Amino acid sequence: MSHQLLIVLDFGGQYNQLIARRVRECGVYCEVKPYTTPLEELQKMQPIGLIFTGGPNSVYLEDAPHVDPAIFQMGVPVLGICYGCQLMAQALGGRVTAAQDDTAREYGKTETFFDTSCKLFKNLPERGVSWMSHGDYMEKVPDGFALMAHSKACPNVAIADETRGFYGVQYHPEVNHTENGVAMIRNFLYEVCGAAGDWTMGDYKRTAIAAIREKVGGGRVLLALSGGVDSSVCAALLAEAVGEQLTCVFVDHGLMRKDEGDEVEAAFQPWAMNFVRVDAEARFLQKLSGVTEPERKRKIIGEEFIRVFEEEAKKIGAVDFLAQGTIYPDVIESGAGDAAVIKSHHNVGGLPEYVDFKEIIEPLRLLFKDEVRQLGRELGLPEYLVSRQPFPGPGLAIRVIGDLTKEKLDTLRDADAIYRQEIVDAGLGQEIGQYFAVLTNSRSVGVMGDGRSYDYTLALRAVTTTDFMTADWARLPYEVLDRISTRVVNEVPGINRIVYDVTSKPPATIEWE
Ligand code: XMP
């Protein structure tokens, strides 16, 4: 696949993937590389530009991440963001120190004044809000650099050496809080790096299909289809490329949301391929019977899934390729260390040892989630599948708190369907990152008609988030909550009380188990 490439050099900041997504949204393909990547490797990739990300360190500390200074001789434009800006300033002869007083240390939304003769700010307003998060200060900017933006507290919010194509901003253009931030990134790409804008999902689809055909030849491909966005788009892409050489095994574990299994099956009707739906509800429920501990549930479901898939794969016989819906965020090697594991997220993956195949293919390896969705649309998958919010591999098993029964699962399915429908009808579906109902194992007394009830409490969860690593509880309008509450207690037997979860992550997690 030939398209221009920009490299995002990762210094461990929290918005690094967001920067990469922004670049791609602007029609330029980019990859995230750790700052430790050898210079020769970067050179070989022939990028049209580099973006240095933010990071949690201070450049003047001895063990702070650095780059080979020869990177500035590559003849490639550089945009340094926050830490990246300070790193570039220091490497090119400037001086960065800890801000001495609060005036030079800036956090949050800051009014900023831009020099619009600078290519980075071309055709943009002279003032705007930018999102700052830095405790260090560029005491001296390097020779050859001019000051291109300032705030009340800071004379050098943006610096540039336009002859060499080096730009640095102390704020974060990639976050939504920065007004026109994406336009600034776009200016860097198109005005400074000379981008052609050759990264579109239509092109990607065509080249990916051709590449799959070439690789697979007359071979047979097997895919475990979970019904999630990634495996579904992977299935559609493969079906488009190799048709009946593809077999998709869809293990219906009975832990999906209302009607979801049928929806998945219906979505793949248009393609001539082998679609195998395995009804495994009974065996999953049997294995899970009496289990209350969340990590045990995850483990049992993960193992059972592999077992079912393995049995089906045996029936199919040897295949040449095992396909997986791995996406780019799964393969990015971060510039910083790994975070602690809070939950053992079970994904449909990790299957290879159990199945007879020659090679793995991962046709979505280069794509971010939003690009996977776009590709799904290009392929003609229905919107309900493509815009589906994240759904955990263990499904409703971790949304029914405590022990599981089919009855409880059905109750939750009905309540959850009402909740989701009301959110969509209220026009809130797009702005909330994830929303779902949880059947708690807490029962309480209620009064229904003339009688006493002693039924379950349903918890509603809705969060806004960009990366699911942190999240805030969504401020749902009271009228919407009221409608959901009224409908659920009236329409779903077994539930007589509704509560709304108002905790953010951290300290809570998004799911309850
Ligand atoms: P938490 O609950 O850890 O969830 O804040 C973060 C995101 O991950 C999803 N999640 C899972 N996904 N298997 C998955 O494939 C799991 O076991 C699992 N647990 C949580 C969760 O829905 C949210 O989007």
Side-chain angles (χ1 to χ4, degrees):
M1 276 174 254
S2 72
H3 36 65
Q4 293 180 327
L5 164 76
L6 182 131
I7 295 174
V8 173
L9 212 56
D10 181 358
F11 291 93
Q14 56 178 324
Y15 302 124
N16 299 349
Q17 288 197 28
L18 187 56
I19 298 173
R21 278 171 45 200
R22 294 285 184 248
V23 171
R24 290 194 185 185
E25 270 167 40
C26 292
V28 177
Y29 177 67
C30 75
E31 289 190 16
V32 181
K33 291 282 166 193
Y35 71 91
T36 48
T37 310
L39 187 62
E40 308 78 72
E41 197 181 311
L42 299 178
Q43 269 162 335
K44 252 192 235 144
M45 294 172 77
Q46 299 185 333
I48 60 164
L50 301 168
I51 294 184
F52 294 177
T53 75
N57 298 278
S58 288
V59 283
Y60 46 81
L61 297 180
E62 214 173 286
D63 52 0
H66 282 105
V67 284
D68 184 338
I71 201 166
F72 298 104
Q73 262 95 60
M74 274 174 70
V76 169
V78 178
L79 170 62
I81 295 176
C82 200
Y83 181 87
C85 168
Q86 294 164 3
L87 175 100
M88 177 166 65
Q90 196 194 44
L92 295 175
R95 195 164 51 246
V96 179
T97 54
Q100 292 304 318
D101 52 56
D102 281 349
T103 47
R105 195 181 293 134
E106 293 179 295
Y107 293 100
K109 293 180 181 173
T110 310
E111 181 167 42
T112 308
F113 302 87
F114 301 96
D115 179 344
T116 53
S117 70
C118 174
K119 282 185 187 159
L120 208 55
F121 308 122
K122 193 175 158 186
N123 296 330
L124 297 176
E126 288 176 357
R127 320 159 64 130
V129 167
S130 58
W131 178 259
M132 303 276 189
S133 173
H134 64 98
D136 290 331
Y137 174 69
M138 274 187 292
E139 199 173 59
K140 174 178 177 291
V141 302
D143 292 342
F145 277 75
L147 308 186
M148 296 301 192
H150 67 275
S151 67
K152 223 162 94 194
C154 179
N156 49 29
V157 167
I159 57 170
D161 176 345
E162 299 217 77
T163 40
R164 287 190 286 176
F166 295 158
Y167 295 77
V169 294
Q170 302 258 28
Y171 58 89
H172 288 273
E174 69 277 18
V175 305
N176 282 331
H177 304 299
T178 296
E179 285 172 359
N180 302 305
V182 177
M184 293 169 194
I185 292 174
R186 181 181 292 276
N187 274 347
F188 176 67
L189 298 170
Y190 288 87
E191 300 293 329
V192 181
C193 302
D198 57 6
W199 177 248
T200 68
M201 276 307 114
D203 284 343
Y204 180 83
K205 184 183 95 173
R206 282 184 287 279
T207 22
I209 288 172
I212 293 167
R213 282 186 186 147
E214 193 181 321
K215 178 158 195 173
V216 169
R220 296 174 67 198
V221 187
L222 176 63
L223 172 76
L225 177 64
S226 72
V229 178
D230 303 341
S231 68
S232 297
V233 174
C234 191
L237 183 65
L238 288 165
E240 193 73 37
V242 299
E244 295 195 351
Q245 290 161 254
L246 170 70
T247 302
C248 289
V249 175
F250 171 44
V251 178
D252 186 348
H253 53 21
L255 304 166
M256 271 177 281
R257 289 166 292 196
K258 194 167 180 165
D259 301 330
E260 210 163 25
D262 295 341
E263 284 174 4
V264 172
E265 192 168 351
F268 289 97
Q269 284 304 319
W271 282 278
M273 55 132 147
N274 306 298
F275 185 97
V276 181
R277 179 172 175 177
V278 190
D279 177 4
E281 181 183 41
R283 61 188 280 186
F284 273 85
L285 288 187
Q286 201 241 324
K287 286 269 174 204
L288 288 164
S289 162
V291 178
T292 56
E293 212 275 310
E295 284 300 286
R296 281 244 319 132
K297 287 182 184 174
R298 280 193 172 79
K299 200 155 182 281
I300 290 170
I301 294 165
E303 280 172 9
E304 196 59 15
F305 189 93
I306 289 171
R307 205 141 301 140
V308 176
F309 185 74
E310 186 186 15
E311 284 169 21
E312 291 306 315
K314 274 204 188 108
K315 287 184 207 160
I316 294 160
V319 293
D320 304 283
F321 298 91
L322 182 76
Q324 296 201 123
T326 317
I327 68 169
Y328 193 52
D330 306 328
V331 299
I332 294 181
E333 193 191 332
S334 163
D338 287 331
V341 174
I342 310 289
K343 296 177 188 181
S344 62
H345 288 190
H346 151 71
N347 276 311
V348 182
L351 299 164
E353 344 164 10
Y354 303 91
V355 180
D356 192 7
F357 70 99
K358 289 189 206 131
E359 216 179 313
I360 288 196
I361 43 174
E362 300 177 310
L364 309 181
R365 234 184 125 73
L366 298 180
L367 306 184
F368 279 109
K369 193 80 174 189
D370 23 8
E371 294 172 318
V372 174
R373 293 188 206 278
Q374 238 172 303
L375 177 61
R377 290 186 188 104
E378 288 282 338
L379 287 159
L381 278 174
E383 195 57 33
Y384 63 75
L385 249 191
V386 169
S387 58
R388 183 162 279 178
Q389 47 180 292
F391 184 63
L396 300 183
I398 56 162
R399 292 182 182 170
V400 170
I401 308 304
D403 69 311
L404 286 174
T405 60
K406 176 147 167 56
E407 198 189 356
K408 279 188 183 175
L409 285 164
D410 285 339
T411 303
L412 176 59
R413 266 190 274 267
D414 287 342
D416 182 69
I418 293 173
Y419 178 29
R420 290 188 294 126
Q421 186 60 52
E422 288 296 333
I423 292 285
V424 172
D425 290 352
L428 298 167
Q430 293 305 315
E431 56 193 83
I432 306 173
Q434 203 173 355
Y435 52 97
F436 53 87
V438 174
L439 189 69
T440 74
N441 55 356
S442 180
R443 291 206 285 171
S444 69
V445 175
V447 49
M448 282 205 172
D450 292 330
R452 174 188 190 274
S453 65
Y454 185 58
D455 284 333
Y456 284 104
T457 300
L458 184 84
L460 305 176
R461 183 70 162 141
V463 295
T464 53
T465 176
T466 47
D467 57 5
F468 299 91
M469 305 288 282
T470 61
D472 197 6
W473 59 278
R475 273 52 173 178
L476 291 185
Y478 281 170
E479 319 79 80
V480 178
L481 286 170
D482 183 44
R483 218 165 24 244
I484 297 160
S485 170
T486 308
R487 277 198 61 196
V488 172
V489 288
N490 280 299
E491 296 175 35
V492 186
I495 294 173
N496 68 350
R497 193 177 293 272
I498 313 286
V499 296
Y500 187 52
D501 182 346
V502 290
T503 26
S504 54
K505 171 184 179 177
T509 52
I510 295 175
E511 303 285 348
W512 275 37
E513 287 199 332

